[in-house]
Amino acid sequence: MNKRDKERRRAVRRIFFDTDLAGLAFGGESFPEYEYDTEADLAMSWLANGLSPTDVAARAARYIQRDWGVSVPDGKVEQLAHALALLSSKPESQGQQPN
């Protein structure tokens, strides 16, 4: 994995942690930063394969609902989609001069 991919993975992991689709931090509880790693890695793969951030967020929510047995509020799915869209819209390499 190159440096750019590592940075992107770290950013996607952070998005999942901050969004907290399963509501693990409800009531002020903390949870390990690696809790959503599997879902973040899947999301990276789906984005790389051309799925839209909206589709990725919906798919991740379905996986969490199925695998974790929790409900994921629509607002959380929208929050995840928005954050992934912002990440996807960032230039791949900043500081590069146009040809």
Side-chain angles (χ1 to χ4, degrees), residues 35-50:
E35 193 67 46
Y36 288 105
D37 280 4
T38 300
E39 293 74 18
D41 288 344
L42 287 170
M44 289 261 315
S45 176
W46 296 329
L47 288 168
N49 285 321

PDB file of all heavy atoms in Angstrom, residues 35-50:
ATOM      1  N   GLU A  35     -12.726  -0.347  15.726  1.00  0.00           N
ATOM      2  CA  GLU A  35     -14.015  -1.043  15.731  1.00  0.00           C
ATOM      3  C   GLU A  35     -14.647  -1.147  14.341  1.00  0.00           C
ATOM      4  O   GLU A  35     -15.266  -2.137  14.003  1.00  0.00           O
ATOM      5  CB  GLU A  35     -14.987  -0.354  16.691  1.00  0.00           C
ATOM      6  CG  GLU A  35     -16.219  -1.173  16.983  1.00  0.00           C
ATOM      7  CD  GLU A  35     -15.893  -2.430  17.785  1.00  0.00           C
ATOM      8  OE1 GLU A  35     -15.148  -2.339  18.768  1.00  0.00           O
ATOM      9  OE2 GLU A  35     -16.386  -3.501  17.407  1.00  0.00           O
ATOM     10  N   TYR A  36     -14.485  -0.124  13.520  1.00  0.00           N
ATOM     11  CA  TYR A  36     -15.110  -0.113  12.187  1.00  0.00           C
ATOM     12  C   TYR A  36     -14.122  -0.431  11.070  1.00  0.00           C
ATOM     13  O   TYR A  36     -14.418  -0.176   9.899  1.00  0.00           O
ATOM     14  CB  TYR A  36     -15.745   1.255  11.923  1.00  0.00           C
ATOM     15  CG  TYR A  36     -16.991   1.530  12.728  1.00  0.00           C
ATOM     16  CD1 TYR A  36     -16.975   2.398  13.812  1.00  0.00           C
ATOM     17  CD2 TYR A  36     -18.203   0.935  12.385  1.00  0.00           C
ATOM     18  CE1 TYR A  36     -18.125   2.667  14.539  1.00  0.00           C
ATOM     19  CE2 TYR A  36     -19.358   1.205  13.102  1.00  0.00           C
ATOM     20  CZ  TYR A  36     -19.314   2.077  14.170  1.00  0.00           C
ATOM     21  OH  TYR A  36     -20.458   2.337  14.885  1.00  0.00           O
ATOM     22  N   ASP A  37     -12.972  -0.996  11.379  1.00  0.00           N
ATOM     23  CA  ASP A  37     -11.953  -1.239  10.356  1.00  0.00           C
ATOM     24  C   ASP A  37     -12.450  -2.117   9.211  1.00  0.00           C
ATOM     25  O   ASP A  37     -12.167  -1.833   8.048  1.00  0.00           O
ATOM     26  CB  ASP A  37     -10.698  -1.864  10.964  1.00  0.00           C
ATOM     27  CG  ASP A  37      -9.810  -0.841  11.638  1.00  0.00           C
ATOM     28  OD1 ASP A  37     -10.203   0.347  11.705  1.00  0.00           O
ATOM     29  OD2 ASP A  37      -8.727  -1.227  12.117  1.00  0.00           O
ATOM     30  N   THR A  38     -13.166  -3.167   9.513  1.00  0.00           N
ATOM     31  CA  THR A  38     -13.650  -4.061   8.455  1.00  0.00           C
ATOM     32  C   THR A  38     -14.559  -3.311   7.500  1.00  0.00           C
ATOM     33  O   THR A  38     -14.418  -3.419   6.270  1.00  0.00           O
ATOM     34  CB  THR A  38     -14.406  -5.260   9.062  1.00  0.00           C
ATOM     35  OG1 THR A  38     -13.503  -5.976   9.909  1.00  0.00           O
ATOM     36  CG2 THR A  38     -14.949  -6.185   7.994  1.00  0.00           C
ATOM     37  N   GLU A  39     -15.476  -2.532   8.049  1.00  0.00           N
ATOM     38  CA  GLU A  39     -16.409  -1.782   7.218  1.00  0.00           C
ATOM     39  C   GLU A  39     -15.688  -0.690   6.428  1.00  0.00           C
ATOM     40  O   GLU A  39     -16.012  -0.440   5.262  1.00  0.00           O
ATOM     41  CB  GLU A  39     -17.523  -1.180   8.084  1.00  0.00           C
ATOM     42  CG  GLU A  39     -18.443  -2.205   8.693  1.00  0.00           C
ATOM     43  CD  GLU A  39     -17.849  -2.990   9.863  1.00  0.00           C
ATOM     44  OE1 GLU A  39     -16.837  -2.552  10.457  1.00  0.00           O
ATOM     45  OE2 GLU A  39     -18.413  -4.052  10.182  1.00  0.00           O
ATOM     46  N   ALA A  40     -14.702  -0.056   7.050  1.00  0.00           N
ATOM     47  CA  ALA A  40     -13.932   0.978   6.355  1.00  0.00           C
ATOM     48  C   ALA A  40     -13.143   0.378   5.193  1.00  0.00           C
ATOM     49  O   ALA A  40     -13.079   0.960   4.105  1.00  0.00           O
ATOM     50  CB  ALA A  40     -13.002   1.691   7.325  1.00  0.00           C
ATOM     51  N   ASP A  41     -12.562  -0.798   5.406  1.00  0.00           N
ATOM     52  CA  ASP A  41     -11.823  -1.459   4.328  1.00  0.00           C
ATOM     53  C   ASP A  41     -12.749  -1.861   3.183  1.00  0.00           C
ATOM     54  O   ASP A  41     -12.403  -1.707   2.005  1.00  0.00           O
ATOM     55  CB  ASP A  41     -11.068  -2.674   4.855  1.00  0.00           C
ATOM     56  CG  ASP A  41      -9.863  -2.293   5.704  1.00  0.00           C
ATOM     57  OD1 ASP A  41      -9.428  -1.119   5.651  1.00  0.00           O
ATOM     58  OD2 ASP A  41      -9.358  -3.168   6.429  1.00  0.00           O
ATOM     59  N   LEU A  42     -13.932  -2.355   3.525  1.00  0.00           N
ATOM     60  CA  LEU A  42     -14.913  -2.670   2.485  1.00  0.00           C
ATOM     61  C   LEU A  42     -15.296  -1.406   1.717  1.00  0.00           C
ATOM     62  O   LEU A  42     -15.383  -1.423   0.488  1.00  0.00           O
ATOM     63  CB  LEU A  42     -16.163  -3.308   3.097  1.00  0.00           C
ATOM     64  CG  LEU A  42     -16.028  -4.743   3.584  1.00  0.00           C
ATOM     65  CD1 LEU A  42     -17.262  -5.155   4.388  1.00  0.00           C
ATOM     66  CD2 LEU A  42     -15.833  -5.683   2.402  1.00  0.00           C
ATOM     67  N   ALA A  43     -15.528  -0.325   2.434  1.00  0.00           N
ATOM     68  CA  ALA A  43     -15.903   0.936   1.797  1.00  0.00           C
ATOM     69  C   ALA A  43     -14.807   1.411   0.840  1.00  0.00           C
ATOM     70  O   ALA A  43     -15.104   1.875  -0.267  1.00  0.00           O
ATOM     71  CB  ALA A  43     -16.182   1.995   2.858  1.00  0.00           C
ATOM     72  N   MET A  44     -13.560   1.297   1.251  1.00  0.00           N
ATOM     73  CA  MET A  44     -12.447   1.672   0.370  1.00  0.00           C
ATOM     74  C   MET A  44     -12.485   0.862  -0.919  1.00  0.00           C
ATOM     75  O   MET A  44     -12.315   1.400  -2.009  1.00  0.00           O
ATOM     76  CB  MET A  44     -11.110   1.424   1.076  1.00  0.00           C
ATOM     77  CG  MET A  44     -10.796   2.362   2.181  1.00  0.00           C
ATOM     78  SD  MET A  44      -9.691   3.692   1.743  1.00  0.00           S
ATOM     79  CE  MET A  44      -8.402   2.920   0.827  1.00  0.00           C
ATOM     80  N   SER A  45     -12.724  -0.422  -0.782  1.00  0.00           N
ATOM     81  CA  SER A  45     -12.788  -1.291  -1.950  1.00  0.00           C
ATOM     82  C   SER A  45     -13.955  -0.905  -2.858  1.00  0.00           C
ATOM     83  O   SER A  45     -13.811  -0.826  -4.082  1.00  0.00           O
ATOM     84  CB  SER A  45     -12.926  -2.745  -1.493  1.00  0.00           C
ATOM     85  OG  SER A  45     -13.087  -3.601  -2.583  1.00  0.00           O
ATOM     86  N   TRP A  46     -15.108  -0.666  -2.267  1.00  0.00           N
ATOM     87  CA  TRP A  46     -16.288  -0.289  -3.057  1.00  0.00           C
ATOM     88  C   TRP A  46     -16.075   1.033  -3.782  1.00  0.00           C
ATOM     89  O   TRP A  46     -16.449   1.176  -4.946  1.00  0.00           O
ATOM     90  CB  TRP A  46     -17.526  -0.222  -2.177  1.00  0.00           C
ATOM     91  CG  TRP A  46     -17.925  -1.531  -1.574  1.00  0.00           C
ATOM     92  CD1 TRP A  46     -17.750  -2.782  -2.101  1.00  0.00           C
ATOM     93  CD2 TRP A  46     -18.568  -1.734  -0.315  1.00  0.00           C
ATOM     94  NE1 TRP A  46     -18.232  -3.734  -1.245  1.00  0.00           N
ATOM     95  CE2 TRP A  46     -18.746  -3.124  -0.143  1.00  0.00           C
ATOM     96  CE3 TRP A  46     -19.007  -0.879   0.693  1.00  0.00           C
ATOM     97  CZ2 TRP A  46     -19.352  -3.664   0.976  1.00  0.00           C
ATOM     98  CZ3 TRP A  46     -19.606  -1.414   1.811  1.00  0.00           C
ATOM     99  CH2 TRP A  46     -19.785  -2.796   1.948  1.00  0.00           C
ATOM    100  N   LEU A  47     -15.474   2.001  -3.096  1.00  0.00           N
ATOM    101  CA  LEU A  47     -15.188   3.286  -3.737  1.00  0.00           C
ATOM    102  C   LEU A  47     -14.202   3.100  -4.887  1.00  0.00           C
ATOM    103  O   LEU A  47     -14.375   3.673  -5.963  1.00  0.00           O
ATOM    104  CB  LEU A  47     -14.635   4.287  -2.716  1.00  0.00           C
ATOM    105  CG  LEU A  47     -15.634   4.830  -1.694  1.00  0.00           C
ATOM    106  CD1 LEU A  47     -14.901   5.561  -0.568  1.00  0.00           C
ATOM    107  CD2 LEU A  47     -16.668   5.732  -2.352  1.00  0.00           C
ATOM    108  N   ALA A  48     -13.179   2.292  -4.660  1.00  0.00           N
ATOM    109  CA  ALA A  48     -12.179   2.031  -5.707  1.00  0.00           C
ATOM    110  C   ALA A  48     -12.797   1.333  -6.911  1.00  0.00           C
ATOM    111  O   ALA A  48     -12.335   1.503  -8.039  1.00  0.00           O
ATOM    112  CB  ALA A  48     -11.034   1.192  -5.146  1.00  0.00           C
ATOM    113  N   ASN A  49     -13.865   0.572  -6.670  1.00  0.00           N
ATOM    114  CA  ASN A  49     -14.551  -0.130  -7.758  1.00  0.00           C
ATOM    115  C   ASN A  49     -15.639   0.708  -8.410  1.00  0.00           C
ATOM    116  O   ASN A  49     -16.394   0.204  -9.232  1.00  0.00           O
ATOM    117  CB  ASN A  49     -15.132  -1.448  -7.253  1.00  0.00           C
ATOM    118  CG  ASN A  49     -14.064  -2.493  -7.063  1.00  0.00           C
ATOM    119  OD1 ASN A  49     -13.143  -2.591  -7.869  1.00  0.00           O
ATOM    120  ND2 ASN A  49     -14.161  -3.261  -5.993  1.00  0.00           N
ATOM    121  N   GLY A  50     -15.732   1.980  -8.018  1.00  0.00           N
ATOM    122  CA  GLY A  50     -16.620   2.896  -8.710  1.00  0.00           C
ATOM    123  C   GLY A  50     -17.988   3.120  -8.098  1.00  0.00           C
ATOM    124  O   GLY A  50     -18.805   3.827  -8.690  1.00  0.00           O
TER     125      GLY A  50
END
